Amino acid sequence: MSQRAFDFLHVNERPQKPRTKGITEIRGPYYDPMGPRELRDILETMGQYVDIYKFSGGSFALMDRDTVEELIGICHEHNVEVSTGGFVENVLVRDNDKVEDYVAEAKALGFDIVEISSGFLAIDTDDIVALTELVADYGLKPKPEVNVQFGAGGASDPDDLEREGQQDPSMAIREGERHLEAGADLLMVEAEGITEEVHEWRTDVVYELANELGMENLVFEAPGPEMFEWYVKNFGPNVNLFVDNSQIVELECMRSGLWGKATSWGRTTTFRREE
């Protein structure tokens, strides 16, 4: 790694890659087509701060294989793992007999992580945990999603979600524990129903999930600066977060202590005792 510009200026100490804390996952193709040139630009400038690149909405199924493999290859050049995103939900509903083919294709194309989400599904815990075991059996990393809101993951209106009712966090905790026992290292925590598309944030749920499942095992979706600032303020700069690719720099400036908002300015810090 070349010398950092303005290296005489203080930045908080951050773990080097491969990181087990302070993970930043970014969204790939979805809101933005994200071709190879844009991805190279992002990773050549900010790649050292990106750990996981996530395809969203099944966007890989719109591309030819060579393009998908090229995007994955660029990520690997920069030590960034690549996730399928939670598209397996759609496969389960529309192509239920092709679920194993989906996992096999992800492996063949070079994906590292298969996200297992179920925000729109009525499915038994045993069945969704079996998917975690299947992904692990293929030598890929299962990344199950836990949520406390049926309908999470589709930008639903807050009133619509409210009518669905809120789920007991203890159910998500028990499911998360099952996934960790089945071979998952990280769990994705869906923002909808907690900090997104709600009338009031359910921060109590965040604390409950963190206390019971372990902060080190969770990646929190934070689709807005006010959300990831809250996580950094309350859990420190090494909390694991999933943000849009447009927010990498703002998040890392906040993690590093270079910048902040009115209530986090000059307050984000780290400490490591000298050996």
Side-chain angles (χ1 to χ4, degrees):
M1 185 185 299
S2 62
Q3 183 177 358
R4 177 172 61 89
F6 296 91
D7 65 345
F8 52 86
L9 296 178
H10 170 79
V11 293
N12 291 329
E13 186 169 321
R14 296 268 285 119
Q16 296 298 308
K17 294 202 293 186
R19 280 181 278 268
T20 57
K21 62 180 183 178
I23 290 169
T24 295
E25 179 171 351
I26 66 168
R27 182 181 288 107
Y30 191 56
Y31 300 123
D32 176 351
M34 183 72 74
R37 285 175 289 278
E38 182 181 0
L39 179 58
R40 283 192 184 279
D41 283 345
I42 288 173
L43 295 183
E44 284 174 4
T45 54
M46 289 287 124
Q48 62 183 304
Y49 308 114
V50 177
D51 302 279
I52 302 171
Y53 176 83
K54 170 179 171 175
F55 284 80
S56 294
S59 53
F60 43 71
L62 298 175
M63 304 176 189
D64 60 63
R65 292 176 62 90
D66 289 345
T67 299
V68 174
E69 289 177 329
E70 182 178 6
L71 292 170
I72 292 172
I74 293 168
C75 288
H76 289 168
E77 288 172 18
H78 294 271
N79 297 317
V80 173
E81 294 186 310
V82 185
S83 169
T84 60
F87 190 69
V88 73
E89 282 189 77
N90 193 64
V91 182
L92 281 164
V93 172
R94 296 187 175 183
D95 299 286
N96 193 276
D97 61 334
K98 302 294 184 183
V99 170
E100 190 158 351
D101 293 339
Y102 171 75
V103 176
E105 178 78 340
K107 184 176 179 67
L109 288 168
F111 282 91
D112 306 285
I113 298 166
V114 175
E115 186 176 313
I116 302 165
S117 60
S118 57
F120 286 104
L121 299 180
I123 188 170
D124 291 345
T125 298
D126 287 347
D127 289 358
I128 201 72
V129 171
L131 281 176
T132 290
E133 295 170 341
L134 171 65
V135 171
D137 286 345
Y138 269 81
L140 297 170
K141 295 182 179 181
K143 188 159 175 284
E145 177 189 273
V146 294
N147 56 70
V148 294
Q149 178 67 65
F150 186 84
S156 302
D157 182 88
D159 292 330
D160 292 336
L161 291 180
E162 198 170 82
R163 282 189 288 273
E164 288 286 353
Q166 296 175 337
Q167 298 170 352
D168 187 338
S170 65
M171 297 294 291
I173 290 166
R174 284 196 287 274
E175 182 179 315
E177 289 170 342
R178 293 276 308 277
H179 284 299
L180 293 172
E181 291 167 1
D185 294 319
L186 290 173
L187 305 173
M188 173 67 77
V189 179
E190 171 64 53
E192 282 185 311
I194 298 179
T195 59
E196 186 183 22
E197 309 303 342
V198 289
H199 296 297
E200 292 185 11
W201 286 9
R202 299 179 67 195
T203 55
D204 58 311
V205 172
V206 178
Y207 288 115
E208 193 169 347
L209 294 173
N211 288 334
E212 297 298 326
L213 293 171
M215 285 295 295
E216 70 279 6
N217 297 317
L218 303 175
V219 178
F220 295 97
E221 182 185 16
E226 72 286 356
M227 297 179 201
F228 60 69
E229 184 200 30
W230 183 88
Y231 280 105
V232 170
K233 284 195 302 184
N234 286 275
F235 296 102
N238 287 318
V239 61
N240 302 325
L241 295 170
F242 167 52
V243 301
D244 190 66
N245 62 74
S246 62
Q247 299 164 340
I248 306 166
V249 181
E250 184 175 3
L251 172 58
E252 194 58 37
C253 285
M254 195 176 292
R255 287 191 192 273
S256 69
L258 282 173
W259 206 252
K261 295 184 179 296
T263 60
S264 57
W265 180 275
R267 298 181 181 184
T268 305
T269 190
T270 57
F271 172 76
R272 188 177 74 174
R273 187 174 179 180
E274 295 294 336
E275 299 294 336

